[in-house]
Amino acid sequence: MTMHPTNALVIASALAAGYLAGRLQPWRRLGDWAVDQIRFAGPWVRGGRGRQAAVVLAHVLTAPRTSLRILRAPAAGPEPAPVRDPDWAADRTRTDKEGRV
């Protein structure tokens, strides 16, 4: 049984494509790009709904468990206001009632 030259070409092309995909790792690169875009919230926030949808879709496809965990997490509530010391500017050293440092 002989192999047709077209079949050999298809098999060689598939092996070359698999090798290049393994070397270039496009799936990992796409996931890293999506995580960077989401984490650093830079231009993708100002990029419009289409860009935001593409970034979120890429993240869901490359990291489904992480995306599901993020969606299930409760929203963070407002942070409490910091407590200010009224004597901070007037007296920078802490003293007790008798005036000892």
Side-chain angles (χ1 to χ4, degrees):
M1 188 167 172
T2 61
M3 183 180 289
H4 195 274
T6 307
N7 291 343
L9 183 62
V10 168
I11 291 172
S13 299
L15 287 173
Y19 173 77
L20 287 175
R23 296 290 289 166
L24 298 176
Q25 299 178 349
W27 196 255
R28 193 192 85 217
R29 288 176 187 254
L30 178 65
D32 291 346
W33 173 82
V35 167
D36 288 344
Q37 296 299 312
I38 290 172
R39 179 175 296 145
F40 298 116
W44 85 274
V45 174
R46 297 181 298 275
R49 289 185 180 161
R51 182 177 167 113
Q52 290 176 6
V55 169
V56 170
L57 180 63
H59 189 266
V60 167
L61 291 176
T62 57
R65 289 183 183 172
T66 304
S67 299
L68 190 59
R69 182 179 48 83
I70 290 170
L71 288 174
R72 287 184 178 172
E79 293 186 15
V83 178
R84 305 284 183 195
D85 183 7
D87 296 328
W88 181 78
D91 183 18
R92 293 185 184 231
T93 60
R94 293 248 178 226
T95 59
D96 59 7
K97 292 180 182 177
E98 287 83 31
R100 294 180 297 210
V101 178

